[in-house]
Amino acid sequence: MSHSTTRRNVLRGTVATAALAATAAAAQTEAAYAAPHGGATGPNIGILLYDGYSLLDPTGPAEVLSRLPDATVTMIAEKRGAVRTDTADVAVVADRSITEIDRLDVLLVPGAGNRGTIAAMNNQALLRWIRKMHRHTQWTISVCTGSIILAAAGLLDGREATTYWASADYLQSTFDVTYLPQRYVRSGKIITAAGVSAGVDMALYLASVMADDDTAKAIQLAVEYDPQPPFASGNASDASPQLKERALQLLAASQV
């Protein structure tokens, strides 16, 4: 056999091996999408991502709820892939598209800045999917302005709810919703949380309901959630008009 023939055979073997490896990797990836956490049998928790969401809204509750025994947390978007936050500096990967998900035990809708919230509440495909999921969920939950998206989907009619402090008037004046200035509000199987960080509090409460208080307390310790902020400025009811204005300016400046 000539040297050239030998080289061709080696090349063919290398290409074939690479193709087999790529096929195996693709199969493993698909399996990971289909059965995250090795086919866990606990609650199936889906978190909706859409362009412009606020980073902590989905990831804070995910950190808590993913610790529930045998729970599966899946990031979902209109299509699989990276979905950018309101600042566009960070992206979270959606492992499933909304067309691949028929039922969830828990649906979480995060909030966003004005651009992201307005786009989501006018996205009829997302609203239809939210309504479809809600028909079978045990719990439908939101963080921040995610409650406005739930309201746009018609899920908060006649209910009490909370939202981001600067969006409270809009929620109450635009929809048939009674705003409560609380960290989280439960109305039937719907739980709405106030702005951003309130999602962690809401998730711990939900963990206590879905499991028990001891489990929720253990999760809180596991993630060492013991807030001790350096400033007592996180409650809008205690903030000055000047501080509120500055807060909104900073948000607007950081968003794209």
Side-chain angles (χ1 to χ4, degrees), residues 45-50 52-65 75 86 106-113 116-117 120 130 140-151 156 161-165 167 171 179 182-185 190-204 206:
I45 300 164
I47 299 180
L48 178 64
L49 301 179
Y50 55 87
Y53 64 92
S54 297
L55 179 60
L56 192 62
D57 285 15
T59 57
E63 182 68 40
V64 171
L65 298 176
M75 297 294 179
D86 50 2
V106 179
L107 168 64
L108 185 150
V109 178
T117 302
I130 290 171
T140 299
I141 61 180
S142 68
V143 181
C144 197
T145 58
S147 58
I148 294 177
I149 299 170
L150 293 184
L156 296 185
T162 191
T163 191
Y164 184 59
W165 60 268
S167 301
L171 175 66
Y179 167 74
Q182 297 176 9
R183 197 69 171 159
Y184 54 86
V185 173
I190 297 177
I191 309 175
T192 54
V196 193
S197 63
V200 176
D201 293 0
M202 180 263 293
L204 285 168
L206 182 58

Side-chain angles (χ1 to χ4, degrees), residues 231-245:
F231 308 107
S233 58
N235 192 319
S237 64
D238 299 327
S240 68
Q242 294 78 15
L243 186 59
K244 290 180 180 179
E245 181 180 0

